[in-house]
Amino acid sequence: MAETGSDSELTLCGIVIPAKWGVNGAPTEVAILTRDEGEYRVEPGDTGDRLLSHLRREVLARTVPLSGLAGHQRVRLLSFAILEWAGAEDEDPPSNSGGGR
């Protein structure tokens, strides 16, 4: 889900997924996949790189839209919060170490 806040901010709620991989096969960039199936690639950099350690977790993110390349929507991440764990009962909840607000 994407909601427009101020003139240039976009609030996203969705799952962090890999978007680009390095030569060793590890993710180097991420995207936020929203509930309405929007995919927003997160610009790499200080705050954006923090999402690499939160793959497959649901986040609420404050972003700024950027011009996309080849049909991809890109955003610069301003801040994010990991949403409460809502996984299956037989799974251990992930640790919530350092959200990045």
Side-chain angles (χ1 to χ4, degrees):
M1 171 169 45
E3 297 177 12
T4 304
S6 70
D7 291 339
S8 62
E9 282 191 18
L10 181 66
T11 301
L12 301 174
C13 181
I15 304 293
V16 179
I17 60 170
K20 187 175 180 182
W21 293 261
V23 292
N24 64 354
T28 59
E29 291 185 28
V30 297
I32 298 173
L33 183 63
T34 61
R35 293 178 181 161
D36 60 359
E37 298 183 12
E39 184 175 319
Y40 298 84
R41 291 191 177 210
V42 177
E43 187 73 12
D46 181 42
T47 308
D49 290 348
R50 291 188 204 164
L51 284 179
L52 283 167
S53 62
H54 298 291
L55 293 175
R56 296 178 301 280
R57 307 261 317 264
E58 189 171 19
V59 296
L60 182 63
R62 276 184 45 238
T63 67
V64 173
L66 302 172
S67 58
L69 300 172
H72 293 289
Q73 297 181 70
R74 293 194 68 87
V75 294
R76 185 176 72 240
L77 185 66
L78 299 175
S79 65
F80 69 95
I82 304 297
L83 298 181
E84 188 173 325
W85 178 248
E89 290 181 22
D90 58 353
E91 294 181 15
D92 292 329
S95 64
N96 193 3
S97 58
R101 283 193 212 184

